[in-house]
Amino acid sequence: QVQLVESGGGLVQAGGSLKLSCAASGRSFSSYGMGWFRQAPGKEREFVAAISWLGGVTNYADSVKGRFTISRDNAKSMLYLQMISLKPEDTAVYYCGAAGTTVATTTRSSYNTWGQGTQVTVSS
């Protein structure tokens, strides 16, 4: 299977930008969809963005549409989340996940492998 490690989180001011990375190890990284989810304190883990196996299809939560961009580099086994115009409500632990399908699934239960998470804090 695949192992995932997120990085790039940190503290940023509202309106700022941040880019998260997810490094994958193991075989056949390009054979499945990937996604980003986030979880704030006291909240359920929620969908943020997803991308299909070759990167041709993406899906975004309405709350981040137009501000976040998900991408992948299969040659480097990397997944990215470029975040701009950050808001305090974006504060959460962000997790990358690998799905058991090739499509850009938005369903949490479709993901069978997760990274350890990286903290994103947006101050006002």
Side-chain angles (χ1 to χ4, degrees):
Q1 292 186 350
V2 63
Q3 297 79 47
L4 306 174
V5 179
E6 303 95 334
S7 63
L11 175 64
V12 297
Q13 187 178 350
S17 301
L18 198 63
K19 187 173 184 178
L20 306 183
S21 299
C22 176
S25 61
R27 59 190 300 272
S28 301
F29 172 75
S30 64
S31 296
Y32 34 78
M34 299 287 293
W36 289 96
F37 287 71
R38 67 187 183 187
Q39 187 167 19
K43 302 290 185 179
E44 293 289 317
R45 185 171 53 184
E46 66 175 3
F47 166 75
V48 176
I51 188 167
S52 60
W53 67 314
L54 296 179
V57 179
T58 58
N59 287 305
Y60 297 93
D62 288 341
S63 60
V64 307
K65 194 172 299 180
R67 299 188 298 118
F68 291 11
T69 302
I70 187 171
S71 61
R72 66 191 298 164
D73 186 338
N74 289 346
K76 296 180 178 179
S77 297
M78 294 290 292
L79 177 74
Y80 305 100
L81 185 67
Q82 177 66 62
M83 305 182 292
I84 65 172
S85 302
L86 283 162
K87 305 174 180 179
E89 51 262 45
D90 294 320
T91 296
V93 177
Y94 284 70
Y95 299 90
C96 66
T101 177
T102 58
V103 304
T105 176
T106 65
T107 304
R108 183 172 56 192
S109 61
S110 296
Y111 292 83
N112 50 41
T113 304
W114 298 95
Q116 85 287 354
T118 185
Q119 176 71 48
V120 172
T121 302
V122 184
S123 65
S124 60

